[in-house]
Amino acid sequence: MISVLDYGVGNLGSILNMFKKIGAQARLVSDPAAIMQAEKILLPGVGAFDNAMQELEQRGFIAPLKQRVCEDGVPVLGICLGMQLLGSGSEEGNLPGLGFIDATCRRFRFPAGSPLKVPHMGWNIVHPAKPSALFRDDTPERRFYFVHSYHVECAHPEDVLATAHYGFDFTAMVQHGNIMGAQFHPEKSHRFGMALLKNFADIEKC
């Protein structure tokens, strides 16, 4: 059973529908105590970094999340803002992140006159940087839908799971053991998103 955190920030209906389509069992979790029974955790997120961290704190999610993810080794997948929350912080806000992975979020910055706009919005090809249970086929091109103004910078290159290009190569996915993140929206990415979420649902041990 996949526990999808309901903390007031995220596209929950689309995520649950996607899990239903792939035949994976998933439920919304709004009670922090229920996290202690989670077999896998999906951390969604849209909006501002500080607001999301405040909601997690006020709703009592942070302590049980740290217990299950960092101590018990339960697989977690953060998507969009949820991936950014896995790191230590963001230029967007002042609050610390969950600190599950050594990474910081930076705003996209381009030279004056650049045709590239912020936020980065639309479909982009994602290139795996290392093997992972989240990639279980040899598909040459994986396309996912992005909407974001900030990108994650990992302190350790080995934590970069996949990259994409928008003016420069940026981190599109992270993985450090059982801790995984995707900057894009798999629930809006059709067959590629379905495959990724199916692989996450099938993970037994990281």
Side-chain angles (χ1 to χ4, degrees), residues 114-126:
S114 171
L116 299 176
K117 306 297 182 183
V118 180
H120 167 223
M121 183 182 302
W123 293 85
N124 208 327
I125 296 172
V126 168

Side-chain angles (χ1 to χ4, degrees), residues 178-189:
N178 61 306
I179 300 160
M180 294 159 275
Q183 180 60 68
F184 48 80
H185 286 275
E187 79 280 8
K188 297 180 180 180
S189 299

